[in-house]
Amino acid sequence: MKLNYRDKIILGALLAFVILLAGFFLAVKPKYNAIKNDSEALKKAQADKEDVDNKIAEIKPLQDEIKATYEATTKLTNDFVAYNDIYNARKLDQYMQHFAEDCEVKVTALSASDLGESTLSYYYFTPSYVGESMLAAADLNGDRQAAIAEDKAESDALQGRTQESVLAGTYDITVLGTKENIYKYLQAIEDQDKTIIINTVDLGGMIINPEALEKTADGLGEELSDEQKEMLEDDAEIEAKFNISVYSVYELSEPNVEAD
């Protein structure tokens, strides 16, 4: 069949279109699909990055919170005597010796224990009221009961708290010294900043109020004994016994909060 000029033009145009269409499917469309896939992968990668960034942003405040808690806890544990200083009876005695030496009292007897697990009690005062049940019955408006409840709020709260476990050692010591130096010994332990608590004090033969004793003797027309007169002297030595508890805790390990 012989084609005229118009048919040749149409056939050429159709052939060109077919070639372009074939080129699209063979080259352009795969590239387009690759670009589309890469675009989706990029969006996913950006979403993953955003998720990671958010998690990293959460880590820093958490790290700061952990560090702040550690520092606060360390300050609290610093109030306790260091474990390595008192972990057995010998170390405990060595730790406590300087109080007697500094206050110039003579140690005549002592007994120290190894550290053991114990509980640390809360110190508080519980107000008491005479005939509280009768007071409640007479308190028609409830004002007195409200005042009593307010007075007891602190002791009630502390009484209900769980007592925490600590390490404790017991130190029983008998010393001989002047009244002034005995008081210095008491004051030295009170002034130090660690958890050392004097539980009991037995001041054998000490006359706490010499003026009252002398006044009583004069009123009765009696004369003080030689022993009493000797105890009234400023340099008179007396015997004092102390039961002391020394508390410690294990040192808190520093947390590793640095992200790898």
Side-chain angles (χ1 to χ4, degrees):
M1 181 178 64
K2 188 175 182 180
L3 298 177
N4 57 30
Y5 179 75
R6 177 175 172 277
D7 292 336
K8 289 180 180 180
I9 294 298
I10 293 174
L11 183 60
L14 181 60
L15 183 60
F17 176 76
V18 171
I19 293 173
L20 289 174
L21 188 61
F24 173 78
F25 281 103
L26 294 176
V28 177
K29 187 174 180 180
K31 182 62 72 175
Y32 169 78
N33 290 335
I35 293 173
K36 183 179 178 181
N37 293 335
D38 290 344
S39 178
E40 292 176 354
L42 177 61
K43 289 180 180 179
K44 185 178 182 304
Q46 289 174 335
D48 292 342
K49 180 179 179 299
E50 185 177 352
D51 185 50
V52 171
D53 289 341
N54 290 336
K55 289 180 179 178
I56 292 174
E58 292 174 359
I59 289 173
K60 186 61 170 66
L62 182 59
Q63 287 176 327
D64 294 340
E65 183 179 351
I66 292 173
K67 288 179 180 179
T69 301
Y70 169 74
E71 291 171 0
T73 304
T74 300
K75 288 181 181 179
L76 179 62
T77 57
N78 284 340
D79 292 335
F80 291 86
V81 181
Y83 171 82
N84 289 334
D85 290 342
I86 59 169
Y87 61 83
N88 61 25
R90 180 179 61 84
K91 296 288 288 185
L92 176 57
D93 178 39
Q94 290 177 344
Y95 184 84
M96 296 295 295
Q97 276 180 8
H98 76 91
F99 291 107
E101 294 171 355
D102 295 344
C103 299
E104 299 179 350
V105 294
K106 303 172 187 175
V107 178
T108 59
L110 66 86
S111 174
S113 72
D114 295 340
L115 280 187
E117 187 173 347
S118 181
T119 55
L120 191 59
S121 302
Y122 295 98
Y123 283 81
Y124 56 87
F125 169 71
T126 302
S128 62
Y129 299 86
V130 178
E132 191 169 335
S133 60
M134 292 184 289
L135 178 63
D139 185 20
L140 298 180
N141 296 323
D143 297 337
R144 293 175 180 173
Q145 290 299 296
I148 291 174
E150 184 176 352
D151 285 345
K152 292 185 175 182
E154 180 181 16
S155 61
D156 288 346
L158 292 175
Q159 190 175 25
R161 286 188 181 180
T162 302
Q163 294 183 357
E164 301 297 336
S165 296
V166 293
L167 301 173
T170 301
Y171 192 69
D172 291 295
I173 184 171
T174 302
V175 299
L176 191 67
T178 63
K179 182 191 299 186
E180 180 182 2
N181 288 341
I182 294 294
Y183 283 148
K184 281 182 180 179
Y185 184 82
L186 283 166
Q187 192 66 47
I189 295 178
E190 180 182 348
D191 289 345
Q192 57 82 40
D193 60 356
K194 301 298 181 182
T195 47
I196 301 176
I197 299 175
I198 299 176
N199 300 311
T200 61
V201 179
D202 181 6
L203 302 175
M206 177 181 282
I207 299 175
I208 303 298
N209 193 335
E211 293 79 8
L213 178 64
E214 291 175 331
K215 186 176 181 180
T216 300
D218 289 341
L220 296 174
E222 298 177 351
E223 186 176 349
L224 298 178
S225 67
D226 291 340
E227 183 180 354
Q228 287 175 319
K229 290 179 180 178
E230 183 180 345
M231 294 306 297
L232 291 176
E233 299 293 332
D234 292 336
D235 59 350
E237 288 192 332
I238 60 173
E239 185 180 75
K241 298 179 181 180
F242 304 94
N243 174 261
I244 301 171
S245 293
V246 185
Y247 295 96
S248 181
V249 292
Y250 290 114
E251 184 178 351
L252 186 66
S253 299
E254 184 173 359
N256 181 12
V257 296
E258 298 302 327
D260 294 333

